[in-house]
Amino acid sequence: MPSRQKTFFWIFLHTLAILCVITQVFTGLRFSVFRFDNLLSLSAILPQGALHNVHIMSGVGLTLTAIAYVLYRFWGTMTTRQLRTPASFNPSKWRIDLTGSSIKLFNLWVIRLGYLVTTCILISGWLLYFDASIDSIDFIHFILALCMVGYLFFHGGFTLIQFGYQAAVTIFKPGTTAYRHIFSIVVSFLLCFVIGLYFISFQSIQTLFVRTVSPTTIINIDGKAEEHVWHDAQSIEVKTHGGANFENGQTTVSLKALQNGSEIFMLAQWQDSSESLNHLPLEKTEQGWAVRSQGFYQFDEKKYYEDKFAILLSTKCEMAAAGTAHLGPQPLKDQPPNWHGRGYHYAEDGETRDLWHWKAVRTNGMILVDDNYIGRPEKALDGQRRYTAGYYPDSKESGAYIMNWQWYSPNGITPKRIPSIKNSEPSAASTDQTFSENGHPSSVLPWFDTQAYKTSKDPYIVGDTIPSVLMRSNRFEGDRADVRGFGVWKNGQWTLEMVRKLNTGSQYDLPIEEGLCMWVSAFDHAQTHHTRHHRPIQLQWEK
């Protein structure tokens, strides 16, 4: 059967394309686990660890390969030479009962469709990387990736049917005259790759201009952003994706920043169709008390949880949250796997990344943002149910909240405290009858408005609920309280104002200065399943 002897350049491009596509498919499927829970069944065959740079670099490689191949075909430099099937080879053992012309035609159309799929997947990938405002772009990219898997299967299958086992040798064996320009070809391609790497690493940073205001300017941290200085500040919009419960998994975050020489003020606004304050309520059932949940046992609650928002700060502007995102059920081989199968945050270089974590129920009432950090992964403790790798809260002296149960079990719990009963009606202590100062049902229990729970004096009936968050004081004490913040939900949007000293002096905090990079994430009543974005945001003082 006729074929063509390939030049070294064709073989180089073909082999590189195969490697890039396989890398793209397997790392991409790992990312898709965040959107499609049923893909967790493939977790055992998918790679783990810091995969974002690998995925992006393989995308750069595939892009350069596609461009080089187009130029290669345009210049018509392919050297052809007819190959004949060895006499000892019996095609009937390898081909299905179809004519050679039919197989050749099918393969030709598969190849053409492969060109189209490759073009579309590269376009959608770069649009996703640059946070293009296109609905469901990540879903489109995922479908195209599945089409690419189909292309590999059919193209490889038809080639084997058409040429038999000789195909595996032919596509990797260049002609005898194909080695003359190997050095120049490889050097030129590597140069293009380095240029692409430089562009990805250093030229794709978004800039957030920080406006300087007078130290006497008064800014109320009330979640309203009514001060004129906010209107004068420049804003940027960051398209985040991959989060649970958001429409198409996406929400756009608008950011502004101010500084007065001693403090920095941040304003974040993002779309969220509902204000979620129903945080793991405790429900009286016929068997006793239980935590109302749907995924909390795996630390992946996506129904009965509060809205949240996070900001990560780092002196390094790397991909994947400054290089802290390590994907997979067990990216640390010598440490416990994570329960939800998606990965851990930790810093392999040991440098601190500052993390501000606002919580609509647990910290908003304190007018605080939980001050945390990401560092080197810790060693798991014996009996520790939830291992958090390198994610830690800043130290605190006292204060704040605890969960209102003795020991957690998905089969039932015993409350620590219940609201003080001031009404003879049993349901008067229900959450539906307990209101906060703003008139909304309370999502927390103040310690001094409660009494110790006793089974013998349980006044509740089946179906009653009480909050699971027990506030022991009105704020954290110590480093964990360095960031103040308050958020307000209105008309499908959260508005969150935050403030912190530029330099707290804490070993757990980064001094905020020009050039610092940041990432943002939004949670829609989800425990860990947050949105994300690829490109870092760099702070620059407005001149």
Side-chain angles (χ1 to χ4, degrees):
M1 172 155 299
S3 182
R4 288 178 175 178
Q5 190 78 19
K6 307 303 182 184
T7 66
F8 174 82
F9 193 37
W10 185 93
I11 291 174
F12 176 73
L13 293 178
H14 191 265
T15 304
L16 188 60
I18 292 173
L19 294 176
C20 289
V21 167
I22 291 175
T23 302
Q24 287 270 288
V25 167
F26 277 88
T27 56
L29 285 174
R30 173 60 73 190
F31 299 147
S32 298
V33 167
F34 288 93
R35 184 178 175 95
F36 307 103
D37 289 341
N38 53 354
L39 289 180
L40 284 170
S41 59
L42 299 176
S43 190
I45 64 172
L46 299 178
Q48 300 189 78
L51 302 177
H52 289 80
N53 282 338
V54 176
H55 189 76
I56 295 297
M57 287 303 101
S58 61
V60 172
L62 185 59
T63 303
L64 293 174
T65 302
I67 294 172
Y69 184 69
V70 170
L71 295 175
Y72 173 72
R73 292 298 300 268
F74 178 76
W75 288 331
T77 57
M78 181 180 291
T79 301
T80 63
R81 188 172 67 184
Q82 299 297 321
L83 273 182
R84 298 193 180 276
T85 305
S88 60
F89 174 63
N90 185 0
S92 63
K93 295 182 179 180
W94 295 86
R95 298 195 204 109
I96 61 176
D97 189 19
L98 288 172
T99 62
S101 59
S102 297
I103 294 296
K104 183 177 180 179
L105 182 62
F106 287 149
N107 201 12
L108 178 62
W109 278 105
V110 167
I111 292 172
R112 289 174 178 174
L113 289 173
Y115 292 158
L116 177 62
V117 170
T118 301
T119 302
C120 292
I121 201 171
L122 288 174
I123 292 173
S124 63
W126 286 114
L127 288 174
L128 188 62
Y129 175 78
F130 286 108
D131 304 320
S133 298
I134 301 176
D135 290 340
S136 301
I137 186 66
D138 54 342
F139 181 72
I140 294 171
H141 191 64
F142 172 73
I143 295 300
L144 289 169
L146 296 183
C147 293
M148 180 61 74
V149 174
Y151 165 70
L152 292 176
F153 176 80
F154 284 108
H155 177 48
F158 282 136
T159 300
L160 181 62
I161 293 170
Q162 184 178 357
F163 298 112
Y165 68 86
Q166 282 287 318
V169 177
T170 302
I171 63 175
F172 294 110
K173 183 180 179 181
T176 57
T177 61
Y179 293 95
R180 290 176 296 177
H181 305 295
I182 293 177
F183 181 76
S184 60
I185 290 172
V186 173
V187 170
S188 299
F189 196 89
L190 289 177
L191 180 61
C192 291
F193 189 81
V194 170
I195 293 172
L197 178 62
Y198 173 81
F199 176 79
I200 293 298
S201 301
F202 302 104
Q203 300 300 315
S204 59
I205 295 175
Q206 304 171 89
T207 301
L208 175 60
F209 290 98
V210 182
R211 185 177 180 85
T212 301
V213 298
S214 168
T216 60
T217 301
I218 297 175
I219 302 175
N220 294 316
I221 306 301
D222 55 10
K224 298 179 180 179
E226 295 176 332
E227 295 80 6
H228 70 87
V229 289
W230 283 127
H231 299 288
D232 296 336
Q234 294 189 50
S235 66
I236 65 169
E237 290 191 346
V238 181
K239 183 99 176 221
T240 67
H241 58 91
N245 301 318
F246 288 104
E247 184 176 357
N248 297 320
Q250 302 172 350
T251 187
T252 299
V253 180
S254 175
L255 296 168
K256 292 183 179 182
L258 309 167
Q259 65 92 16
N260 61 11
S262 61
E263 294 175 311
I264 187 165
F265 298 83
M266 293 275 191
L267 172 64
Q269 294 176 302
W270 67 98
Q271 296 84 30
D272 186 343
S273 60
S274 61
E275 181 185 21
S276 304
L277 305 176
N278 196 17
H279 183 79
L280 300 171
L282 307 186
E283 181 180 13
K284 182 67 174 293
T285 70
E286 293 180 354
Q287 291 74 36
W289 286 96
V291 178
R292 187 184 290 176
S293 62
Q294 189 172 298
F296 180 63
Y297 184 71
Q298 293 80 25
F299 303 106
D300 192 27
E301 180 63 41
K302 288 182 285 191
K303 185 173 182 180
Y304 300 101
Y305 219 73
E306 64 195 314
D307 290 336
K308 300 191 293 180
F309 188 79
I311 291 179
L312 179 73
L313 300 166
S314 174
T315 57
K316 296 188 174 182
C317 299
E318 302 174 20
M319 292 288 172
T324 65
H326 302 266
L327 309 183
Q330 196 173 11
L332 289 167
K333 298 302 182 184
D334 58 341
Q335 298 299 333
N338 55 77
W339 287 70
H340 46 69
R342 293 189 175 88
Y344 287 128
H345 279 289
Y346 58 88
E348 290 183 301
D349 58 12
E351 294 190 17
T352 296
R353 276 74 163 175
D354 210 346
L355 180 63
W356 303 357
H357 200 170
W358 172 82
K359 304 165 185 177
V361 171
R362 288 172 290 173
T363 69
N364 204 41
M366 297 187 288
I367 316 180
L368 287 178
V369 177
D370 207 342
D371 195 3
N372 304 155
Y373 71 98
I374 294 175
R376 194 181 298 277
E378 66 179 2
K379 185 177 180 180
L381 303 175
D382 292 339
Q384 182 181 13
R385 183 171 182 268
R386 187 181 184 186
Y387 174 67
T388 58
Y391 174 38
Y392 315 96
D394 286 13
S395 62
K396 66 169 185 171
E397 297 169 12
S398 64
Y401 58 84
I402 57 174
M403 301 313 295
N404 189 25
W405 53 68
Q406 301 288 350
W407 299 99
Y408 173 76
S409 168
N411 300 319
I413 56 93
T414 300
K416 288 183 177 180
R417 302 182 72 83
I418 59 175
S420 299
I421 307 302
K422 298 179 181 180
N423 191 307
S424 59
E425 293 294 329
S427 61
S430 164
T431 299
D432 294 336
Q433 303 296 323
T434 306
F435 292 87
S436 58
E437 293 180 0
N438 61 12
H440 293 100
S442 177
S443 299
V444 301
L445 283 176
W447 183 277
F448 294 105
D449 290 342
T450 62
Q451 61 188 25
Y453 175 79
K454 295 181 180 179
T455 305
S456 59
K457 295 183 179 180
D458 187 338
Y460 293 91
I461 61 176
V462 172
D464 280 347
T465 60
I466 61 175
S468 66
V469 180
L470 186 59
M471 305 299 295
R472 294 192 293 186
S473 69
N474 63 353
R475 62 180 295 109
F476 295 116
E477 299 294 337
D479 283 354
R480 199 169 169 181
D482 284 335
V483 186
R484 290 188 293 122
F486 191 79
V488 171
W489 183 89
K490 184 178 181 181
N491 297 329
Q493 176 179 272
W494 276 106
T495 298
L496 172 62
E497 289 181 286
M498 296 164 282
V499 61
R500 202 205 79 177
K501 290 183 179 179
L502 292 174
N503 191 345
T504 65
S506 170
Q507 62 176 319
Y508 306 111
D509 295 333
L510 293 178
I512 298 177
E513 53 194 17
E514 198 166 17
L516 200 68
C517 280
M518 61 183 284
W519 291 258
V520 296
S521 297
F523 302 70
D524 184 9
H525 58 278
Q527 185 178 7
T528 57
H529 209 143
H530 57 77
T531 63
R532 55 192 55 79
H533 59 95
H534 302 294
R535 296 186 294 155
I537 305 161
Q538 192 168 46
L539 300 181
Q540 182 174 323
W541 271 211
E542 191 176 83
K543 306 303 180 185

